[in-house]
Amino acid sequence: MPGIVKERLFTPGPTPLLMEAQLRALTMTLHHRTDAFRALMRETLDNLKYYFNTKNDIIVFASSGTGAMEGAVSNLLSPGDRVLIGTAGKFGERWVQLAKAYGIESVVVEAPYGQEVPVGEMKKHLESGGFRAVFIQATESSTGVRNDVESLGKAVSALPDCCFVVDAITGLGTTDLRPDEWGVDILIGGSQKATMIPPGLAFASISDKAGRAMEKSKLPRYYFDYAKERKSLAKGESSYTPATSLIVCLHAALNYIKELGRENLIANAELLAEASREAAVALGLKNFAVGTPANAVTSICAPPGIESTKVVKDMKSRFGVILTDGQGSMKGQMFRIAHLGYYDFLDLVAVLGALEITLLKVGHKVELGSGVRAAQNVYLRHSA
Ligand SMILES: *Cc1c(COP(=O)(O)O)cnc(C)c1O
């Protein structure tokens, strides 16, 4: 065994961290009811708007992304409301479970794993009317597909009493999203994905339409009260103790992202995803996504006759590379390489070089260098 094995994360959250943001959090002491913190919070919220590509207000909670998802349900709806949900995997199923937890009746449009939500079918349901909100993922991290948020958003924005909620927790920073143009009323993000910082913060943007719906909504809520948080944050305050060290971290990371440029961050993920897909094919593997593939994460089918679990385990023990296996019924069937966080082309080349050795070791024949070469060719194409 080699002496040194560095652990590296290539998972769809948590993701490789931006060290300078970590260091800021370690060296900065702040009390949250101070002018210094309020100024930092205001700047962070402004930069979040840049990151989200929206003019709408953004709120922040000390929770994982699911907290803001739950909040979208409890803040928009009232008992007796009906909603429309598009699901293409495990995270789409979370919307279904959340609606159920609050006793909200849902109509569910389900895509088989690997395919994107059939937006045409959702639009047909919308024509029948009576939906108070529509829920979907921008990118479904469990399968590596991207949904057509633009087309669905434009259909929902024509309906005055129906809000459009998008889980963009892995979509942000990896995908060109135009929430204001597309009529996204609530766009949700989380800290442990493309923002390059640890887990623990959830974000949500709120349109005017969502603001009006929240005033009428009667479902119970307390901590995840969007309107209350929005009011507090307008003063640079949060309703309860904020996760100060994570806010400091986020502030530094968003400064980095702003300098880099949102478009360049997205282009980075796009390059890594395309290179991964072409490398998979060169290695004799199939891409799991048959719908529009996401830039956030690439899902690759297990080598014929070999469980993907073996690939994931070998990559971890041999190289310290942390990939993710399929979730639920996809376990053993595919593995995922994410393209989120502080992560560059060189990291991917290393992962692919390691993957080739792992594939040989688990019994899948490959020509060494063929996956890496495919990725290099994608790089050359992108830099031409
Ligand atoms: C990570 C993720 C979430 C949120 O999960 P948490 O564990 O609550 O942060 C939700 N949706 C998608 C698409 C994700 O990738």
Side-chain angles (χ1 to χ4, degrees), residues 283-318:
L283 293 169
L285 301 176
K286 279 201 184 107
N287 283 295
F288 184 81
V290 288
T292 310
N295 295 335
V297 55
T298 298
S299 46
I300 300 174
C301 294
I306 300 167
E307 290 218 325
S308 54
T309 315
K310 270 192 151 174
V311 175
V312 172
K313 278 195 178 143
D314 192 81
M315 286 289 275
K316 166 88 187 334
S317 59
R318 198 180 294 280

Short mmCIF file of all heavy atoms in Angstrom, two decimals, residues 283-318:
data_model
loop_
_atom_site.label_atom_id
_atom_site.label_comp_id
_atom_site.label_asym_id
_atom_site.label_seq_id
_atom_site.Cartn_x
_atom_site.Cartn_y
_atom_site.Cartn_z
N LEU A 283 -14.03 4.68 -21.41
CA LEU A 283 -13.68 3.56 -20.53
C LEU A 283 -14.66 2.40 -20.66
O LEU A 283 -14.64 1.46 -19.86
CB LEU A 283 -13.60 4.04 -19.08
CG LEU A 283 -12.45 5.02 -18.79
CD1 LEU A 283 -12.59 5.67 -17.42
CD2 LEU A 283 -11.10 4.30 -18.90
N GLY A 284 -15.51 2.48 -21.65
CA GLY A 284 -16.47 1.39 -21.89
C GLY A 284 -17.61 1.38 -20.90
O GLY A 284 -18.24 0.34 -20.67
N LEU A 285 -17.90 2.52 -20.29
CA LEU A 285 -19.01 2.60 -19.33
C LEU A 285 -20.13 3.46 -19.90
O LEU A 285 -19.89 4.34 -20.73
CB LEU A 285 -18.51 3.21 -18.01
CG LEU A 285 -17.38 2.46 -17.31
CD1 LEU A 285 -16.93 3.23 -16.06
CD2 LEU A 285 -17.80 1.04 -16.92
N LYS A 286 -21.33 3.21 -19.41
CA LYS A 286 -22.47 3.99 -19.88
C LYS A 286 -22.78 5.12 -18.90
O LYS A 286 -22.67 4.94 -17.69
CB LYS A 286 -23.72 3.09 -19.94
CG LYS A 286 -23.79 2.23 -21.17
CD LYS A 286 -25.27 1.81 -21.37
CE LYS A 286 -25.43 0.86 -22.51
NZ LYS A 286 -25.70 -0.53 -22.08
N ASN A 287 -23.20 6.24 -19.45
CA ASN A 287 -23.70 7.30 -18.57
C ASN A 287 -25.12 6.92 -18.14
O ASN A 287 -25.93 6.47 -18.94
CB ASN A 287 -23.67 8.64 -19.29
CG ASN A 287 -22.27 9.21 -19.35
OD1 ASN A 287 -21.69 9.54 -18.32
ND2 ASN A 287 -21.71 9.32 -20.54
N PHE A 288 -25.39 7.13 -16.83
CA PHE A 288 -26.69 6.75 -16.29
C PHE A 288 -27.79 7.72 -16.74
O PHE A 288 -28.93 7.31 -16.97
CB PHE A 288 -26.60 6.74 -14.76
CG PHE A 288 -27.85 6.28 -14.07
CD1 PHE A 288 -28.15 4.93 -13.94
CD2 PHE A 288 -28.75 7.21 -13.54
CE1 PHE A 288 -29.30 4.51 -13.30
CE2 PHE A 288 -29.91 6.79 -12.89
CZ PHE A 288 -30.18 5.44 -12.78
N ALA A 289 -27.43 9.00 -16.88
CA ALA A 289 -28.44 10.00 -17.27
C ALA A 289 -28.75 9.84 -18.76
O ALA A 289 -27.87 9.96 -19.60
CB ALA A 289 -27.93 11.41 -16.99
N VAL A 290 -30.00 9.57 -19.05
CA VAL A 290 -30.42 9.55 -20.45
C VAL A 290 -31.15 10.85 -20.80
O VAL A 290 -31.23 11.22 -21.95
CB VAL A 290 -31.29 8.30 -20.79
CG1 VAL A 290 -30.45 7.06 -20.82
CG2 VAL A 290 -32.44 8.15 -19.81
N GLY A 291 -31.64 11.54 -19.77
CA GLY A 291 -32.19 12.88 -19.98
C GLY A 291 -31.04 13.87 -20.08
O GLY A 291 -29.88 13.47 -20.11
N THR A 292 -31.37 15.18 -20.10
CA THR A 292 -30.33 16.21 -20.15
C THR A 292 -29.41 16.05 -18.95
O THR A 292 -29.87 16.11 -17.81
CB THR A 292 -30.98 17.62 -20.09
OG1 THR A 292 -32.02 17.66 -21.06
CG2 THR A 292 -29.96 18.70 -20.38
N PRO A 293 -28.11 15.82 -19.17
CA PRO A 293 -27.25 15.60 -18.02
C PRO A 293 -26.98 16.89 -17.25
O PRO A 293 -26.90 17.97 -17.84
CB PRO A 293 -25.96 15.05 -18.64
CG PRO A 293 -25.96 15.51 -20.05
CD PRO A 293 -27.39 15.69 -20.46
N ALA A 294 -26.84 16.77 -15.95
CA ALA A 294 -26.54 17.92 -15.09
C ALA A 294 -25.05 18.21 -15.12
O ALA A 294 -24.25 17.29 -15.30
CB ALA A 294 -26.98 17.63 -13.66
N ASN A 295 -24.68 19.48 -14.91
CA ASN A 295 -23.26 19.81 -14.73
C ASN A 295 -22.81 19.53 -13.31
O ASN A 295 -21.62 19.45 -13.04
CB ASN A 295 -23.01 21.30 -14.99
CG ASN A 295 -23.28 21.70 -16.43
OD1 ASN A 295 -23.19 20.87 -17.33
ND2 ASN A 295 -23.59 22.97 -16.65
N ALA A 296 -23.76 19.42 -12.40
CA ALA A 296 -23.42 19.31 -10.98
C ALA A 296 -22.77 17.98 -10.64
O ALA A 296 -21.89 17.90 -9.80
CB ALA A 296 -24.68 19.50 -10.14
N VAL A 297 -23.25 16.93 -11.28
CA VAL A 297 -22.78 15.59 -10.93
C VAL A 297 -22.97 14.66 -12.13
O VAL A 297 -23.94 14.79 -12.88
CB VAL A 297 -23.54 15.07 -9.67
CG1 VAL A 297 -25.03 15.11 -9.85
CG2 VAL A 297 -23.10 13.67 -9.26
N THR A 298 -21.99 13.77 -12.32
CA THR A 298 -22.09 12.81 -13.41
C THR A 298 -22.32 11.43 -12.81
O THR A 298 -21.59 11.00 -11.91
CB THR A 298 -20.79 12.81 -14.24
OG1 THR A 298 -20.64 14.11 -14.81
CG2 THR A 298 -20.84 11.77 -15.35
N SER A 299 -23.37 10.77 -13.28
CA SER A 299 -23.65 9.42 -12.79
C SER A 299 -23.26 8.43 -13.88
O SER A 299 -23.63 8.59 -15.04
CB SER A 299 -25.13 9.30 -12.42
OG SER A 299 -25.94 9.84 -13.44
N ILE A 300 -22.48 7.45 -13.47
CA ILE A 300 -21.92 6.49 -14.42
C ILE A 300 -22.38 5.08 -14.04
O ILE A 300 -22.29 4.69 -12.86
CB ILE A 300 -20.37 6.58 -14.40
CG1 ILE A 300 -19.93 8.01 -14.79
CG2 ILE A 300 -19.74 5.54 -15.31
CD1 ILE A 300 -18.43 8.27 -14.67
N CYS A 301 -22.87 4.34 -15.01
CA CYS A 301 -23.37 2.99 -14.73
C CYS A 301 -22.21 2.08 -14.31
O CYS A 301 -21.07 2.24 -14.76
CB CYS A 301 -24.02 2.39 -15.98
SG CYS A 301 -25.50 3.25 -16.48
N ALA A 302 -22.52 1.12 -13.46
CA ALA A 302 -21.53 0.14 -13.01
C ALA A 302 -21.00 -0.63 -14.23
O ALA A 302 -21.72 -0.83 -15.20
CB ALA A 302 -22.18 -0.81 -12.02
N PRO A 303 -19.73 -1.05 -14.19
CA PRO A 303 -19.22 -1.89 -15.28
C PRO A 303 -20.06 -3.16 -15.37
O PRO A 303 -20.53 -3.66 -14.34
CB PRO A 303 -17.79 -2.23 -14.83
CG PRO A 303 -17.46 -1.28 -13.73
CD PRO A 303 -18.75 -0.86 -13.10
N PRO A 304 -20.28 -3.68 -16.56
CA PRO A 304 -21.12 -4.88 -16.72
C PRO A 304 -20.68 -6.00 -15.77
O PRO A 304 -19.49 -6.34 -15.71
CB PRO A 304 -20.90 -5.27 -18.18
CG PRO A 304 -20.38 -4.04 -18.86
CD PRO A 304 -19.72 -3.21 -17.84
N GLY A 305 -21.63 -6.51 -15.02
CA GLY A 305 -21.35 -7.64 -14.13
C GLY A 305 -20.62 -7.28 -12.85
O GLY A 305 -20.26 -8.17 -12.06
N ILE A 306 -20.38 -6.01 -12.60
CA ILE A 306 -19.64 -5.59 -11.39
C ILE A 306 -20.46 -4.54 -10.65
O ILE A 306 -20.97 -3.60 -11.25
CB ILE A 306 -18.26 -4.99 -11.78
CG1 ILE A 306 -17.42 -6.04 -12.53
CG2 ILE A 306 -17.51 -4.49 -10.54
CD1 ILE A 306 -16.19 -5.48 -13.22
N GLU A 307 -20.60 -4.72 -9.33
CA GLU A 307 -21.38 -3.72 -8.57
C GLU A 307 -20.60 -2.42 -8.42
O GLU A 307 -19.40 -2.43 -8.14
CB GLU A 307 -21.68 -4.29 -7.18
CG GLU A 307 -22.68 -5.44 -7.20
CD GLU A 307 -23.61 -5.38 -6.02
OE1 GLU A 307 -23.16 -4.97 -4.94
OE2 GLU A 307 -24.79 -5.75 -6.19
N SER A 308 -21.30 -1.31 -8.60
CA SER A 308 -20.64 0.00 -8.46
C SER A 308 -20.08 0.21 -7.05
O SER A 308 -19.12 0.93 -6.85
CB SER A 308 -21.63 1.12 -8.80
OG SER A 308 -22.81 1.00 -8.04
N THR A 309 -20.72 -0.45 -6.08
CA THR A 309 -20.25 -0.38 -4.69
C THR A 309 -18.77 -0.75 -4.60
O THR A 309 -18.01 -0.17 -3.82
CB THR A 309 -21.10 -1.34 -3.83
OG1 THR A 309 -22.47 -1.14 -4.20
CG2 THR A 309 -20.92 -1.08 -2.36
N LYS A 310 -18.35 -1.74 -5.40
CA LYS A 310 -16.96 -2.18 -5.42
C LYS A 310 -16.04 -1.07 -5.92
O LYS A 310 -14.93 -0.89 -5.41
CB LYS A 310 -16.80 -3.38 -6.39
CG LYS A 310 -17.01 -4.73 -5.76
CD LYS A 310 -16.54 -5.78 -6.75
CE LYS A 310 -16.04 -7.02 -6.05
NZ LYS A 310 -15.72 -8.08 -7.03
N VAL A 311 -16.49 -0.37 -6.95
CA VAL A 311 -15.70 0.73 -7.51
C VAL A 311 -15.53 1.83 -6.46
O VAL A 311 -14.43 2.32 -6.22
CB VAL A 311 -16.40 1.30 -8.78
CG1 VAL A 311 -15.67 2.53 -9.31
CG2 VAL A 311 -16.52 0.23 -9.85
N VAL A 312 -16.66 2.18 -5.82
CA VAL A 312 -16.65 3.25 -4.82
C VAL A 312 -15.71 2.88 -3.66
O VAL A 312 -14.90 3.70 -3.20
CB VAL A 312 -18.08 3.52 -4.30
CG1 VAL A 312 -18.08 4.49 -3.13
CG2 VAL A 312 -18.96 4.05 -5.44
N LYS A 313 -15.77 1.62 -3.22
CA LYS A 313 -14.93 1.16 -2.09
C LYS A 313 -13.47 1.16 -2.47
O LYS A 313 -12.61 1.57 -1.69
CB LYS A 313 -15.35 -0.26 -1.66
CG LYS A 313 -16.55 -0.28 -0.75
CD LYS A 313 -16.70 -1.64 -0.08
CE LYS A 313 -17.90 -1.61 0.87
NZ LYS A 313 -18.61 -2.89 0.87
N ASP A 314 -13.15 0.68 -3.67
CA ASP A 314 -11.75 0.61 -4.09
C ASP A 314 -11.16 2.01 -4.24
O ASP A 314 -10.01 2.25 -3.84
CB ASP A 314 -11.63 -0.17 -5.40
CG ASP A 314 -10.17 -0.52 -5.70
OD1 ASP A 314 -9.66 -1.51 -5.13
OD2 ASP A 314 -9.53 0.23 -6.47
N MET A 315 -11.93 2.92 -4.80
CA MET A 315 -11.45 4.30 -4.98
C MET A 315 -11.13 4.94 -3.63
O MET A 315 -10.17 5.67 -3.48
CB MET A 315 -12.49 5.14 -5.72
CG MET A 315 -12.60 4.84 -7.20
SD MET A 315 -11.17 5.42 -8.13
CE MET A 315 -11.63 7.13 -8.45
N LYS A 316 -11.97 4.61 -2.64
CA LYS A 316 -11.78 5.18 -1.29
C LYS A 316 -10.55 4.58 -0.62
O LYS A 316 -9.69 5.30 -0.12
CB LYS A 316 -13.04 4.93 -0.46
CG LYS A 316 -12.91 5.16 1.03
CD LYS A 316 -13.19 6.60 1.38
CE LYS A 316 -12.93 7.00 2.82
NZ LYS A 316 -12.98 6.02 3.85
N SER A 317 -10.44 3.26 -0.64
CA SER A 317 -9.35 2.65 0.13
C SER A 317 -8.01 2.82 -0.58
O SER A 317 -6.99 3.02 0.06
CB SER A 317 -9.65 1.16 0.39
OG SER A 317 -9.82 0.50 -0.85
N ARG A 318 -8.02 2.74 -1.87
CA ARG A 318 -6.75 2.82 -2.61
C ARG A 318 -6.25 4.26 -2.77
O ARG A 318 -5.08 4.56 -2.62
CB ARG A 318 -6.97 2.20 -4.00
CG ARG A 318 -5.69 1.81 -4.73
CD ARG A 318 -6.03 1.21 -6.09
NE ARG A 318 -6.74 -0.06 -5.99
CZ ARG A 318 -6.15 -1.23 -5.76
NH1 ARG A 318 -4.86 -1.31 -5.62
NH2 ARG A 318 -6.88 -2.34 -5.66
#
